[in-house]
Amino acid sequence: MDQHILYDEVLVNGSKTALTLSADGILQWYDHQNVLQCLSVEKEVLGVSIVGQQIIIRSFIETEGGGFCFGSSTRNLVRKSFVFEPLSEDSRLNLCEKIQGYVDSLGRPKKLFVFVNPFGGRRSASKVFTDDVKPILDDANIEYTLQETKYQLHAKEVSHTLDLSKYDGIICVSGDGILVEVVNGLLEREDWEAALKMAIGVIPAGTGNGMIKSLLDSVGQPCTAAYAMLATIRGHKRSLDVATIWQGETKFFSVLMLAWGLIADVDIESEQYRWMGSARMDFYGLQRIIRLRKYNGCISFVPAPGFEDVGEASNLGVESISMEPPISQQHGYHGPKVDLGNSIWRKVNGPFISIWLHNVPWGAENTMAAPNAKFDDGYLDLIVMRDCPKLALISLMSEMSNGHYVKSPHVLYIKVKAVVLEPGSRTSDSTKEGIIDSDGEVLARGKGTYKCHLKSLMVYDKLKIVVDQGLATLFTPI
């Protein structure tokens, strides 16, 4: 008993039993069939409350594995309530105080700001919130403010002006798009350094879901709203690298990826087949491989240690490789302050089939784009494809679900600190150019591209990209 924070007798379905809470946070009792039950407060308990004469412990448990002890090998979470009837009023108050006190000691969020994007992806976010998010917030006794996004960049605007002192975190019930908007909004605040310590949680409700897939897959958990919510509720945090992409005085902050060539073309041009759902990527990807495009251009980079011999020496001048974005009069983060002028610069010349820069392993739930990517290593993973037979390319695309495609001799896969991308025209038609895509949004549309009449953030020309290590903060399962 000296190891117990709590030891008291209660009734469970009319049967008297001892309810104990150990110093390491394990609740134990015998049920009415005299079977030992246990719950890890840290891993499984959402919240505790008094209802009449009863104490109700609300939990999230994995359904198989013999009983409800944590550590089950199954990958399916369900909500379950356990009801205890203390033998006295004093006992009831003491039990609730001790269990709630242990929960509070874990540093969990108590008030969250929740974005729901009802228009994104499968348009399922509102249902996901109602079915999967709200019940768990209620079980965990977490207060929240709900904001449905009304238009593109709405979440960015709200994040830019939100009174963060009222909240312990932000949840994005959407695909990756709202996360990107929130990070960009926080980075443009006057108090951006403090704002970036605000943890952001992502609940999968879009077509991509690359960030939350990367987080959950890192601990072997499936990409579901339940596991994503548990990661948020538990309150563990990790830092996330942020890449600054800029052209002149125009900047964009990326947390996922940048693509040019085949990947960007499929990502953006397949929007015309959005009615097909996620199958549009495979369908249009096959079309693009059959009628394969190659692009002239050049990519220069500062390689991570171990990749200094990749490519050839770059002859970029010191002026052209100034990698500090210009400081405008606006408040906010202006990009990483790094001097790469004396760094080793390498380059690879085109033509290219595809260039992909990735910050996390998964680009979508079914696409492991960069299997070696880390959330906060201070590097981007660069994947380059210059030449590949069409049949081999089809085979490679099928291996994107497990990341094995990067082992192909047709794929160059390295880590880099900084990049200068100089995109060119298609090799088959110099009057037509390409699309540069970052985090699902078009950064630049070249001549003759899909919807090239639309205004984009940047022009189809030289871009500079530098990563800043551990800048943002995410809720994480570990």
Side-chain angles (χ1 to χ4, degrees), residues 68-102:
F68 298 116
C69 289
F70 66 93
S72 165
S73 61
T74 60
R75 302 283 90 183
N76 183 32
L77 284 173
V78 295
R79 293 165 57 224
K80 185 174 179 64
S81 294
F82 297 92
V83 180
F84 305 93
E85 188 173 339
L87 303 184
S88 69
E89 175 68 16
D90 287 345
S91 175
R92 183 161 54 252
L93 293 175
N94 180 55
L95 284 167
C96 192
E97 179 185 344
K98 291 291 178 62
I99 298 171
Q100 187 62 54
Y102 194 94

Side-chain angles (χ1 to χ4, degrees), residues 398-411:
S398 69
E399 290 187 330
M400 284 188 174
S401 61
N402 54 28
H404 291 170
Y405 81 102
V406 299
K407 300 176 182 178
S408 166
H410 303 293
V411 176

Side-chain angles (χ1 to χ4, degrees), residues 155-196:
K156 179 182 177 182
E157 293 175 5
V158 173
S159 302
H160 185 243
T161 58
L162 186 64
D163 183 355
L164 297 177
S165 67
K166 296 180 178 179
Y167 303 99
D168 302 312
I170 297 172
I171 297 181
C172 306
V173 186
S174 71
D176 294 312
I178 298 300
L179 167 66
V180 174
E181 288 192 26
V182 170
V183 171
N184 274 264
L186 296 178
L187 283 165
E188 291 182 3
R189 294 170 62 106
E190 186 174 358
D191 63 343
W192 63 270
E193 288 184 273
L196 287 174

Side-chain angles (χ1 to χ4, degrees), residues 323-337:
M323 298 302 285
E324 289 192 24
I327 298 178
S328 65
Q329 299 303 311
Q330 297 175 341
H331 294 299
Y333 172 76
H334 297 291
K337 294 181 179 180

Side-chain angles (χ1 to χ4, degrees), residues 8-12 15-17 19 49-56 83-96 99:
D8 214 334
E9 290 189 329
V10 296
L11 296 178
V12 176
S15 299
K16 186 183 291 187
T17 182
L19 175 64
S49 59
I50 295 177
V51 179
Q53 303 299 310
Q54 300 173 326
I55 287 179
I56 299 179
V83 180
F84 305 93
E85 188 173 339
L87 303 184
S88 69
E89 175 68 16
D90 287 345
S91 175
R92 183 161 54 252
L93 293 175
N94 180 55
L95 284 167
C96 192
I99 298 171

Side-chain angles (χ1 to χ4, degrees), residues 4 17-22 26-30 36-39:
H4 292 147
T17 182
L19 175 64
T20 63
L21 174 61
S22 65
I26 305 300
L27 281 164
Q28 288 188 322
W29 72 96
Y30 285 91
L36 179 65
Q37 302 290 333
C38 59
L39 283 173

